[in-house]
Amino acid sequence: MADAAPRLHALVQQLLGAPFPVRIRAWDGSLAGPPGAPALVVRNRRAVRRLLFKPGELGLARAWVAGDLDVEGDLYEALDLISGQVWQRDDDARTLSEALRDPGFRAAVRGLLKLAGPPLPPAPPREEVRRPAHLHTRRTDRRAISHHYDVGNDFYEIVLGPSMVYSCAYWESADTTLEDAQRDKLELVCRKLGLTPGQRLLDVGCGWGSMAIHAAREHGVNVVGVTLSQEQAAYARKRVADAGLTDRVEIRVQDYRDVADGPYDAISSIGMAEHVGADRYLEYASVLHALLEPGGRLLNHQIARRPERDESAYEVDAFIDAYVFPDGELAPLGSTVTQLERAGFEVRDVESIREHYALTLRRWVSRLEDDWHRAVRLTGAGRARVWRLYMAASALAFEHQRIGVNQVLAVRPSPSGASGLPLRSRTWNRAG
């Protein structure tokens, strides 16, 4: 008798102590759960074993990446329905210990053990990265950047499109094309920095060179872009050469801490500071401050999280740390502003563009899904599944204000305190 799905659904509800809002389709073809809801497809017993041996988010992530779990129906709807009950649940030892005192909970665990079969923990998928003992050294930063960005430029072309901009776009409306929205974001950064011909711009974490090329071509500045990714640098250098900008744009494989040819008139850091880490953030801000001319501007474009009541309780997201951004950390906006000010910057403007990132991520997911088979051929099924889940879940996180993204404009004042900004400086959104 095909009854794995009804048994699983009942056991999950017993474990959660609440209704499970999606259906479950099990390996034996059975289906159970609310009619019309998307279905969590449990392809084999190994998925159950993964959750038993690593309850919570990491177990779910391992099952998803390995292909033991899938979603039938709308992925966003499924993630939205289960995130509050499962995806965001803590699996700390104290909570589990308390739960095990409940006879009903223990009975549910025994039921899952029986369903799971032989109690051998499956090996983690090969895409998983172990957290190093020491974070944010030059060596571990290089390794983390390589894991995330050296996936293959062809794969990123599928996801990002011709702009090759891997950060939040800036949307006029939801009908704007991704290309136009990314161009508008780059132009917004240039205007906030007040770039003029002949100035020197340092682009920290330059990616595939899009910001450097735009600033040189449209604003006549001389740009140094630095990245730790060999693949990004090679791709960016070719784009610079194809654009005829080798006299104005230099792409280096270099840690920002090793840049020694300042001062610069402006610095852009777009989607890079998330890799720095809380313990290194003041160093990051201080290095950039020292590289700027007095009156020079920094545009720091960075994802932020909501502050914790007790900041010492903050933990890096297990799935993202293991599969997406090893060693990445998110900070509250207030902490970022404080650290910039401690380094000597004067923060002059903060703009939240949270909804813009949700739109951007949904476009990236659509591009990946539309060219799914090619993406799998290029990078493997596990890595493609990591990216689909990561981007879809992140879109929902931005939509529900669990995370945000901000552009912080800061200046290095002159010794007399002059900022170099006009009295009415917020003119960057004006046409012309």
Side-chain angles (χ1 to χ4, degrees), residues 278 282 285-286 289 335-347:
L282 182 58
S286 299
H289 183 271
S335 298
T336 295
V337 169
T338 295
Q339 295 289 57
L340 290 172
E341 290 180 332
R342 287 181 64 196
F345 282 106
E346 180 183 16
V347 172

Side-chain angles (χ1 to χ4, degrees), residues 18-78:
F20 191 53
V22 301
R23 297 181 296 168
I24 291 179
R25 186 181 297 281
W27 57 88
D28 61 356
S30 59
L31 179 66
L40 188 65
V41 181
V42 185
R43 296 194 181 281
N44 48 55
R45 297 175 189 272
R46 186 169 58 248
V48 183
R49 293 202 296 275
R50 289 190 186 278
L51 290 169
L52 281 169
F53 282 98
K54 196 67 180 177
E57 182 171 327
L58 189 56
L60 280 167
R62 287 174 173 175
W64 172 271
V65 175
D68 301 330
L69 281 182
D70 208 340
V71 166
E72 183 181 285
D74 187 275
L75 177 61
Y76 293 104
E77 183 184 2

Side-chain angles (χ1 to χ4, degrees), residues 355-430:
E355 294 87 351
H356 294 254
Y357 219 155
L359 285 169
T360 306
L361 285 155
R362 283 181 176 264
R363 292 294 179 91
W364 289 344
V365 172
S366 293
R367 290 187 58 85
L368 177 59
E369 292 175 341
D370 289 345
D371 208 355
W372 179 256
H373 296 296
R374 181 165 171 258
V376 169
R377 287 198 305 272
L378 287 170
T379 194
R383 187 62 64 90
R385 290 172 66 81
V386 166
W387 278 87
R388 183 172 178 239
L389 177 62
Y390 156 63
M391 293 190 298
S394 295
L396 291 171
F398 281 106
E399 288 168 1
H400 296 319
Q401 203 201 350
R402 290 195 291 269
I403 53 177
V405 62
N406 305 283
Q407 289 191 349
V408 179
L409 178 66
V411 295
R412 175 180 177 171
S414 72
S416 66
S419 69
L421 273 74
L423 290 176
R424 295 189 178 185
S425 59
R426 235 176 186 256
T427 60
W428 34 77
N429 285 314
R430 297 178 187 172

Side-chain angles (χ1 to χ4, degrees), residues 1 24 154 174-175 193 261 342 352 355 384:
M1 178 181 177
I24 291 179
D154 291 344
D175 296 327
L193 289 171
D261 60 347
R342 287 181 64 196
S352 172
E355 294 87 351

Side-chain angles (χ1 to χ4, degrees), residues 306-357:
R306 303 287 297 173
E308 302 278 353
R309 289 182 181 274
D310 175 9
E311 277 296 313
S312 66
Y314 168 67
E315 293 184 358
V316 176
D317 182 277
F319 165 60
I320 290 178
D321 190 49
Y323 288 98
V324 186
F325 285 108
D327 309 351
E329 295 179 44
L330 299 184
L333 172 62
S335 298
T336 295
V337 169
T338 295
Q339 295 289 57
L340 290 172
E341 290 180 332
R342 287 181 64 196
F345 282 106
E346 180 183 16
V347 172
R348 298 298 300 241
D349 187 80
V350 176
E351 182 178 4
S352 172
I353 52 176
R354 173 173 62 83
E355 294 87 351
H356 294 254
Y357 219 155

Side-chain angles (χ1 to χ4, degrees), residues 97-120:
S97 175
E98 290 172 354
L100 285 171
R101 298 192 192 108
D102 177 5
F105 185 91
R106 292 200 303 271
V109 170
R110 286 194 297 270
L112 284 175
L113 284 167
K114 187 175 181 181
L115 260 180
L120 296 175

Side-chain angles (χ1 to χ4, degrees), residues 288-316:
L288 299 191
H289 183 271
L291 285 168
L292 275 174
E293 287 270 16
R297 303 184 194 181
L298 164 70
L299 193 285
N300 190 77
H301 176 119
Q302 181 177 342
I303 298 171
R305 61 175 171 84
R306 303 287 297 173
E308 302 278 353
R309 289 182 181 274
D310 175 9
E311 277 296 313
S312 66
Y314 168 67
E315 293 184 358
V316 176

Side-chain angles (χ1 to χ4, degrees), residues 111-341:
L112 284 175
L113 284 167
K114 187 175 181 181
L115 260 180
L120 296 175
R126 61 184 178 84
E127 292 81 6
E128 185 170 317
V129 174
R130 288 187 176 182
R131 193 168 177 83
H134 302 288
L135 301 180
H136 304 298
T137 65
R138 282 170 168 76
R139 182 180 64 82
T140 60
D141 281 352
R142 282 195 302 271
R143 190 197 73 166
I145 294 299
S146 178
H147 172 83
H148 189 74
Y149 294 106
D150 293 342
V151 176
N153 294 326
D154 291 344
F155 174 78
Y156 277 104
E157 285 178 344
I158 291 174
V159 176
L160 305 180
S163 72
M164 290 300 282
V165 179
Y166 182 39
S167 56
C168 174
Y170 196 65
W171 299 85
E172 181 71 25
S173 72
D175 296 327
T176 305
T177 67
L178 178 61
E179 282 300 292
D180 286 346
Q182 289 292 15
R183 182 202 61 226
D184 289 349
K185 189 273 299 299
L186 298 176
E187 181 61 19
L188 177 67
V189 171
C190 291
R191 290 190 181 195
K192 287 182 175 181
L193 289 171
L195 299 180
T196 57
Q199 285 187 324
R200 298 185 74 214
L201 169 69
L202 175 64
D203 187 28
V204 179
C206 66
W208 293 272
S210 300
M211 174 62 191
I213 291 169
H214 182 91
R217 183 177 57 213
E218 303 299 328
H219 295 269
V221 297
N222 299 306
V223 188
V224 171
V226 296
T227 175
L228 294 179
S229 167
Q230 295 282 352
E231 288 195 26
Q232 282 186 335
Y235 191 99
R237 287 167 183 155
K238 183 178 186 307
R239 292 180 75 198
V240 169
D242 290 346
L245 293 170
T246 52
D247 60 329
R248 277 188 276 167
V249 178
E250 178 188 0
I251 303 296
R252 303 174 184 166
V253 178
Q254 186 177 35
D255 192 296
Y256 73 94
R257 291 165 285 196
D258 297 328
V259 176
D261 60 347
Y264 289 86
D265 299 290
I267 298 176
S268 53
S269 179
I270 306 173
M272 177 271 177
E274 297 88 343
H275 296 286
V276 171
D279 291 342
R280 295 281 188 178
Y281 204 93
L282 182 58
E283 176 189 20
Y284 159 81
S286 299
V287 168
L288 299 191
H289 183 271
L291 285 168
L292 275 174
E293 287 270 16
R297 303 184 194 181
L298 164 70
L299 193 285
N300 190 77
H301 176 119
Q302 181 177 342
I303 298 171
R305 61 175 171 84
R306 303 287 297 173
E308 302 278 353
R309 289 182 181 274
D310 175 9
E311 277 296 313
S312 66
Y314 168 67
E315 293 184 358
V316 176
D317 182 277
F319 165 60
I320 290 178
D321 190 49
Y323 288 98
V324 186
F325 285 108
D327 309 351
E329 295 179 44
L330 299 184
L333 172 62
S335 298
T336 295
V337 169
T338 295
Q339 295 289 57
L340 290 172
E341 290 180 332

